[in-house]
Amino acid sequence: MKAILLEGKGGPEVLKLKEVPEPKPGKGQVRVKLDYAGVNYAEILSRKGLYGWKPKGAYTPGMEGSGVIEAVGEGVSPTLIGQRVMVGTKFGCYAEKVVVPAHLAIPALKQFSQQENAAFLVNYMTAWVALFEMAKVQPGETVLITAAAGGVGSAAVQLCAKMGCTVIGLAGSDEKLALVKKLGAAHAVNYRDADYHQKIEQLTGGVDVILEMVGGDIYKKNLKLIRFFGRIVVAGFASFNLKKWNPFSWYKTWKDLPRIDIATMSHKSIGIFAFHLGYLLKDTERTMQCFERLREFVTKHDIHPVVGKIFLLEQAAEAHRFIESRKSTGKVLLKMNGAE
């Protein structure tokens, strides 16, 4: 089968399409023939050698996708063969086929296309857990979402808008701001404006919850907007630009990391959380409980993922370049041969 093999670290050009042996499902596993794979920023960091949980040696990136179960291992019912599923895993989805534990091949949402199923799991679970399981967002609250036109951001805007919140979305271009408004944000604000936080203060008087995915100066300005009993969830760090060969970048990266200052937090009685979906997957029961609440909510409110640009599997390097250009909106996907 064809797969993207990452044999070293570096720029997008290190993502190479290779012929590799077809994986065989072991005990408790299934093999999924993929139609689409989602592209995530974590995979870009992994490609650069900056991600903590990539396997040793050459491997195939890719944390999610959609497809059909075509084979099962020992202990898994053969009745699952032919079932449409979405896949969540640590790596392996930049490929025509992937083997995962049976519980990580989740039945596809019937109201979604296969593209939408591939765009759903990582983004919407990240937004849902960060905002509703951790920050306990309530109807009527004001929620500020950074990188609001991206994969997680667009999911967060939709979820909070349907929850009955006043949503403020930050984005960096007119096209992205228009998308954020279309998804349900009450206000779409350009973070490139030096005084954007003052604009938000005038519009809302402050915010109750911040979904933080950028870091740096954006994080510092957003801190000034938080109200009493506010909550901040750090679920990403888009300004992360560490270059191991450049010591000057080490200091900038260290300086831009979102920081916790207990004394400052106590002035407004705020809480700061951090979330990473990959580590939650270790707790299967809790992960599935969160997913069921999310599935029920998006079905009730007829929410659909925003699918951005679609590349062919062999164009994985171009997909990474596109995301790093900061021109992408919604979810970027890789399409396998034969997918509709």
Side-chain angles (χ1 to χ4, degrees):
M1 71 171 193
K2 289 183 173 62
I4 297 295
L5 201 61
L6 186 55
E7 297 176 295
K9 57 180 182 286
E13 67 279 358
V14 300
L15 298 169
K16 304 290 187 182
L17 185 69
K18 302 277 187 175
E19 288 282 345
V20 300
E22 180 180 87
K24 291 182 170 56
K27 185 175 181 180
Q29 295 181 323
V30 299
R31 185 173 71 225
V32 178
K33 185 178 184 298
L34 292 170
D35 293 317
Y36 296 91
V39 182
N40 294 284
Y41 192 72
E43 293 144 15
I44 291 173
L45 293 177
S46 186
R47 188 204 75 220
K48 294 178 177 180
L50 300 173
Y51 208 61
W53 54 312
K54 72 178 185 65
K56 293 180 180 179
Y59 74 103
T60 295
M63 299 167 65
E64 64 182 331
S66 64
V68 177
I69 295 175
E70 67 167 17
V72 299
E74 179 187 346
V76 181
S77 172
T79 59
L80 293 179
I81 294 174
Q83 184 178 79
R84 291 173 65 232
V85 293
M86 61 180 82
V87 171
T89 184
K90 287 186 175 182
F91 46 83
C93 287
Y94 288 14
E96 292 179 324
K97 300 180 182 185
V98 66
V99 165
V100 296
H103 72 274
L104 293 181
I106 299 170
L109 273 66
K110 294 178 182 178
Q111 70 269 30
F112 285 0
S113 67
Q114 283 296 71
Q115 293 177 7
E116 290 172 328
N117 276 300
F120 182 72
L121 202 55
V122 169
N123 290 345
Y124 284 79
M125 274 289 283
T126 297
W128 178 267
V129 174
L131 291 165
F132 302 108
E133 305 288 342
M134 298 180 73
K136 305 294 184 185
V137 169
Q138 299 297 312
E141 290 192 306
T142 300
V143 183
L144 175 63
I145 297 166
T146 62
V152 175
S154 60
V157 171
Q158 291 173 296
L159 293 170
C160 288
K162 292 297 185 183
M163 180 62 78
C165 302
T166 298
V167 180
I168 306 163
L170 296 185
S173 70
D174 290 343
E175 178 190 5
K176 291 184 177 182
L177 293 170
L179 173 62
V180 171
K181 287 284 285 185
K182 182 180 178 182
L183 294 176
H187 308 288
V189 179
N190 195 323
Y191 68 85
R192 299 185 190 279
D193 296 340
D195 63 345
Y196 82 82
H197 58 299
Q198 295 169 353
K199 207 175 290 182
I200 293 172
E201 179 76 39
Q202 292 168 1
L203 286 169
T204 66
V207 302
D208 300 297
V209 178
I210 298 172
L211 180 59
E212 173 55 55
M213 297 180 286
V214 178
D217 290 338
I218 303 298
Y219 173 72
K220 293 169 188 173
K221 288 180 179 180
N222 290 346
L223 276 178
K224 298 175 183 178
L225 295 168
I226 201 76
R227 293 172 178 161
F228 278 91
F229 301 142
R231 291 89 71 204
I232 302 167
V233 187
V234 179
F237 185 22
S239 64
F240 188 95
N241 194 29
L242 176 69
K243 298 179 177 67
K244 291 185 178 180
W245 50 265
N246 182 356
F248 293 106
S249 77
W250 303 351
Y251 173 72
K252 185 180 185 308
T253 300
W254 174 83
K255 184 171 70 71
D256 285 349
L257 282 169
R259 300 194 178 281
I260 298 172
D261 180 341
I262 298 297
T264 302
M265 289 168 60
S266 67
H267 294 169
K268 287 188 177 178
S269 300
I270 64 172
I272 298 182
F273 305 84
F275 176 61
H276 187 299
L277 179 61
Y279 295 107
L280 179 63
L281 294 178
K282 296 176 184 177
D283 189 332
T284 303
E285 183 178 359
R286 181 160 293 188
T287 298
M288 295 313 299
Q289 288 171 350
C290 293
F291 177 79
E292 282 305 312
R293 288 190 283 270
L294 167 63
R295 182 192 59 75
E296 188 176 308
F297 188 87
V298 299
T299 300
K300 176 181 177 181
H301 294 284
D302 194 28
I303 294 172
H304 286 256
V306 177
V307 176
K309 197 163 184 177
I310 300 175
F311 295 83
L312 298 176
L313 176 62
E314 54 264 35
Q315 297 175 311
E318 293 176 47
H320 276 219
R321 288 190 189 97
F322 182 59
I323 292 177
E324 289 186 274
S325 75
R326 300 203 173 184
K327 294 178 182 177
S328 63
T329 57
K331 190 72 172 189
V332 174
L333 300 178
L334 299 178
K335 180 181 179 180
M336 310 304 159
N337 285 331
E340 295 182 4

